[in-house]
Amino acid sequence: MTTTIIKPKVLRIGEIDFAHQKWKELAEVVEVVKCESSNREEFFKDLKTKYLDITNITRSFASIEQTGRFDEELVSHLPESVKAVSHCGAGYDQIDVEPLSNRKIQLSNVTTPVEAPTADVAVFLILSTLRNFQIGHDLTVQGKWPKGGKCAGAALGHEPLSQTVGIFGMGGIGRAIRDRLTPFGFKKIIYHNRSQLSPELEGDAEYVSFDQLLSESDVICVSIPLNGKTKHSINSETISKMKDKVVIVNTARGAIINEAQLLENLKSGKVGAFGSDVFEFEPEVSQELLDLPNVVSLPHMGTHTYESIQNMEEFVVDNVFSHLYSGKVKTIVPEQYNLQFDETPLLAK
């Protein structure tokens, strides 16, 4: 008599670019089901038929175009068999954690693979805004060097040794930013979190209150996650507490900053420069903001490398493997740290 082995089913939402070998390894122990739903309404129907017995879900950042937000409505349609959702990204603002928690569904995100590449972008933006590199580049491209005089007329910048950097959110990415800034010899590096880090994680950075971060920093580097509590954390009120000519750099999520209010403070000169890889309504960005000479902008390129994408995609599979064999995802999101889940492994080692 032949015994049929029922494999766990993993629903993959979104395309895979580079982690094909890793997915091939996963497919040896599970049944991988590719999400072919063309829109949210069809996805809901398919969850009752084609995806009825899935145990794990993986999703990409771009897959929001296919299913819409993972909000309370979507979660209510998930089969009872779903135990974990693994998101391919550090930020998971496309997902509402509470309804997943209420259903006892674990949520994981990508942590370490995004830290280095995102921190590299932050360093680029900090140096570019401090030294007026973008302004000098633009003036040169416009052909203004011959008549513009020294450095094509770009204003004098500042060196790190005279500047205090404030890191707003010193998680993994924030600490990677700190480590990359240290060799440049900044005057001081301070940070603010919800709570002070342990000495081994804190390193040479100094913990300060949020108001101290605002008032003491020459450069403020935004590196906190976006959620209902952090949206518009940087606004006219908080900017009013900052130094005149402060430099603001954002490599987190655009909506942490009230962009309309930032624009007015850039135009008034209160904010000296703005460097950002993310924008509140991206890919739509205010042309008035982009046209300001003291704005250095990138189109969300934080992890836009071959290595980053492959590492992130493979990390998602690692989260699935971890859940299958231990009953626990590898990197559960902070909102679920203290929650109890069914940690029965779906596969035996």
Side-chain angles (χ1 to χ4, degrees):
M1 180 177 178
T2 303
T3 302
T4 302
I5 300 175
I6 300 176
K7 294 181 176 180
K9 290 186 179 180
V10 177
L11 179 64
R12 187 175 73 199
I13 310 175
E15 297 301 318
I16 299 300
D17 291 313
F18 304 118
H20 300 291
Q21 179 58 37
K22 195 80 171 182
W23 274 95
K24 184 178 179 181
E25 295 171 11
L26 181 62
E28 293 176 359
V29 296
V30 304
E31 180 181 342
V32 176
V33 181
K34 182 179 179 181
C35 181
E36 297 178 342
S37 312
S38 58
N39 55 53
R40 186 176 176 90
E41 183 179 354
E42 185 176 333
F43 182 58
F44 288 171
K45 292 180 180 177
D46 290 341
L47 285 169
K48 294 179 172 61
T49 54
K50 293 191 291 184
Y51 316 141
L52 182 60
D53 52 354
I54 55 173
T55 58
N56 298 71
I57 297 174
T58 69
R59 70 178 302 278
S60 66
F61 184 81
S63 71
I64 193 169
E65 300 296 330
Q66 192 172 2
T67 66
R69 286 181 55 82
F70 263 53
D71 55 13
E72 186 172 8
E73 179 189 31
L74 186 149
V75 173
S76 71
H77 285 79
L78 295 180
E80 290 297 324
S81 54
V82 176
K83 303 297 182 184
V85 174
S86 297
H87 172 64
C88 190
Y92 46 95
D93 45 287
Q94 296 177 340
I95 303 170
D96 293 337
V97 181
E98 186 174 0
L100 287 174
S101 299
N102 292 339
R103 286 279 306 273
K104 301 300 181 182
I105 297 172
Q106 298 178 44
L107 173 64
S108 66
N109 66 330
V110 176
T111 55
T112 51
V114 306
E115 293 170 2
T118 305
D120 291 344
V121 172
V123 172
F124 164 79
L125 292 171
I126 290 169
L127 294 178
S128 185
T129 48
L130 273 182
R131 295 289 305 275
N132 293 325
F133 287 150
Q134 185 68 42
I135 294 173
H137 169 269
D138 291 346
L139 290 172
T140 303
V141 170
Q142 293 164 17
K144 296 183 178 180
W145 196 1
K147 295 182 180 179
K150 185 177 181 182
C151 300
L156 289 171
H158 291 283
E159 292 183 37
L161 59 88
S162 69
Q163 304 291 294
T164 294
V165 175
I167 300 176
F168 183 23
M170 208 165 75
I173 294 173
R175 295 194 296 274
I177 293 170
R178 174 204 61 198
D179 293 344
R180 281 158 174 72
L181 292 181
T182 298
F184 287 96
F186 280 88
K187 180 180 178 181
K188 185 189 294 187
I189 297 178
I190 59 178
Y191 77 97
H192 177 72
N193 279 5
R194 284 172 292 183
S195 58
Q196 186 170 0
L197 295 173
S198 61
E200 58 269 23
L201 291 179
E202 189 174 66
D204 294 332
E206 177 186 338
Y207 178 73
V208 296
S209 69
F210 184 45
D211 280 348
Q212 282 180 284
L213 184 94
L214 297 176
S215 64
E216 295 178 14
S217 301
D218 298 293
V219 179
I220 293 179
C221 190
V222 178
S223 190
I224 61 173
L226 173 63
N227 53 47
K229 295 180 180 179
T230 62
K231 183 178 180 180
H232 288 179
S233 293
I234 304 300
N235 51 48
S236 286
E237 180 182 354
T238 51
I239 290 173
S240 70
K241 300 177 181 179
M242 299 178 189
K243 290 184 177 181
D244 291 341
K245 303 297 182 183
V246 65
V247 171
I248 300 175
V249 167
N250 189 5
T251 54
R253 284 290 186 266
I256 293 168
I257 298 177
N258 184 317
E259 220 162 81
Q261 294 179 8
L262 170 70
L263 175 61
E264 294 307 310
N265 281 279
L266 278 162
K267 289 162 64 176
S268 73
K270 172 64 178 180
V271 176
F274 177 56
S276 193
D277 187 39
V278 290
F279 295 89
E280 186 170 3
F281 304 107
E282 62 181 63
E284 302 299 326
V285 186
S286 162
Q287 195 60 47
E288 186 178 9
L289 178 68
L290 295 176
D291 287 343
L292 291 176
N294 53 345
V295 170
V296 182
S297 56
L298 294 173
H300 208 146
M301 298 180 73
T303 54
H304 194 57
T305 69
Y306 291 103
E307 296 83 359
S308 295
I309 294 171
Q310 179 167 344
N311 290 338
M312 290 171 66
E313 290 179 348
E314 291 182 349
F315 196 88
V316 169
V317 181
D318 286 338
N319 262 302
V320 176
F321 271 127
S322 177
H323 182 265
L324 291 172
Y325 287 111
S326 73
K328 297 181 288 186
V329 293
K330 181 179 179 180
T331 52
I332 199 162
V333 298
E335 293 93 328
Q336 295 186 338
Y337 280 172
N338 298 318
L339 301 182
Q340 298 296 317
F341 297 94
D342 177 5
E343 296 181 356
T344 305
L346 300 179
L347 290 174
K349 293 184 179 179

